[in-house]
Amino acid sequence: MDEITTRHNEKMRRIKAARDEMMKTKTEEKGLIMVHTGKGKGKSSAGFGMIMRCIAHGMPCAVVQFIKGNWDTGEKTFLRERFADECRFFVSGEGFTWETQDRERDIAAAQNGWKIAKEQILDPEIQFVLLDEINIALRYDYIDIDEVVEFLLHQKPAMTHVCLTGRNAKPELIEAADLVTEMELLKHPFRDGVKAQKGVEF
Amino acid sequence: MDEITTRHNEKMRRIKAARDEMMKTKTEEKGLIMVHTGKGKGKSSAGFGMIMRCIAHGMPCAVVQFIKGNWDTGEKTFLRERFADECRFFVSGEGFTWETQDRERDIAAAQNGWKIAKEQILDPEIQFVLLDEINIALRYDYIDIDEVVEFLLHQKPAMTHVCLTGRNAKPELIEAADLVTEMELLKHPFRDGVKAQKGVEF
């Protein structure tokens, strides 16, 4: 073995030892409150990637989509047509808020979504709940942030995972969460005249 | 309607008009080079969320997983067992690099993965290719970044989407990409002693 290989192998051995040591302390399992926020792409996609993992592991799960009601998204078709038994799929809104232009109706839709969300989270069958784009409803105060945080911290069953997505997550939610990822936009093709495309955006 | 509702509806109408105007210019369709990088969670999950969308839309796709070979991940089981016709799934490595502690073998595995990746990208049947964790192989120069960039820019079929994930994306790749998202870690439960969990991490 040459020197670079020897050094590399030694370094990797040290990292492995440190990681093994660290992972020994990671023994707790608990239902996580996860938040995907930021202006970048991937917030909902990552939520649906976890839904795929849940289905793979036989963990019953549920999706409540806020706001994006009218879009005929791939994930909706996919989950409703092929995995209706494994994953419950609810839509609370009717298109983006700027499509409906009716605040009263948006509030009613968001409130209805939150009611469904609570039922799913409390359901002992369900192990993972994705609240897709709920942050938009929270941002406009269509749903009360204090009520959501209180519910997640004190009424959510201990082992149930909940993932909340959407830009502009409120500070209260970030504070309450176990895991927060900010998707930052470094580059976006819309800027160069490329439209939203099948498979990528929906 | 009260004043706040009127103001809100007016604001939403303006946003919708501006967005409709903007979207008129978004007419181009093209195969995108997408990068998910950063220290946060969601890079691979978002890639698999897009794979779900491709399957939903009947777009044949492929995954090449670099490095994470030995892990029995939910996504691997799910795609191999249920969607072998819709999505080809390849694994190039054998566990994380710090698991193998053998640089020569890691290089061979990464090179093999890149060979498969090129074949899948060039295959006219395939519309979307996910190169999961390839950035780790690029970071250690197991695969030559210039060759990858040259291939993506000049040999990739125009309509084929490629998504490359992993921390520490090289600047050359970011420069070449159409869409780059940096997943930033705001909070992670490992810090509080929670281990990697089914459905969430794998």
Side-chain angles (χ1 to χ4, degrees), chain B residues 110-119 121-122 134 138 141-156 164 170 172-173 176:
Chain B
Q111 290 284 343
N112 184 48
W114 174 235
K115 185 170 156 279
I116 296 167
K118 285 188 288 190
E119 288 163 5
I121 293 168
L122 291 174
I134 190 173
L138 287 165
D141 297 317
Y142 293 172
I143 310 173
D144 183 53
I145 182 67
D146 295 334
E147 190 196 328
V148 170
V149 165
E150 198 281 329
F151 181 86
L152 292 174
L153 291 178
H154 303 296
Q155 294 184 57
K156 180 183 80 61
L164 308 94
K170 291 222 169 184
E172 297 93 324
L173 181 63

Side-chain angles (χ1 to χ4, degrees), chain A residues 8 16 26 30 45 53 75 82 101 142 174-175 177 180 182 184 186-187 190 195 197, chain B residues 8 16 26 28 30 45 53 75 83 101 142 174-175 177 180 182 184 186-187 190 195 197:
Chain A
H8 172 92
K16 178 171 163 49
K26 310 306 176 201
K30 61 178 276 199
S45 312
R53 288 181 181 143
E75 54 270 24
R82 310 211 202 182
Q101 302 178 26
Y142 294 173
I174 290 174
E175 185 58 36
V180 181
E182 170 134 354
E184 243 199 297
L186 294 192
K187 247 186 180 181
F190 281 2
K195 68 178 182 181
Q197 291 176 96
Chain B
H8 171 93
K16 177 169 164 49
K26 311 304 177 203
E28 197 192 340
K30 62 176 277 201
S45 312
R53 288 182 181 142
E75 54 271 24
F83 294 99
Q101 302 179 25
Y142 293 172
I174 289 174
E175 185 57 36
V180 180
E182 170 135 354
E184 244 199 295
L186 294 191
K187 245 186 182 182
F190 281 2
K195 68 179 182 180
Q197 291 176 98

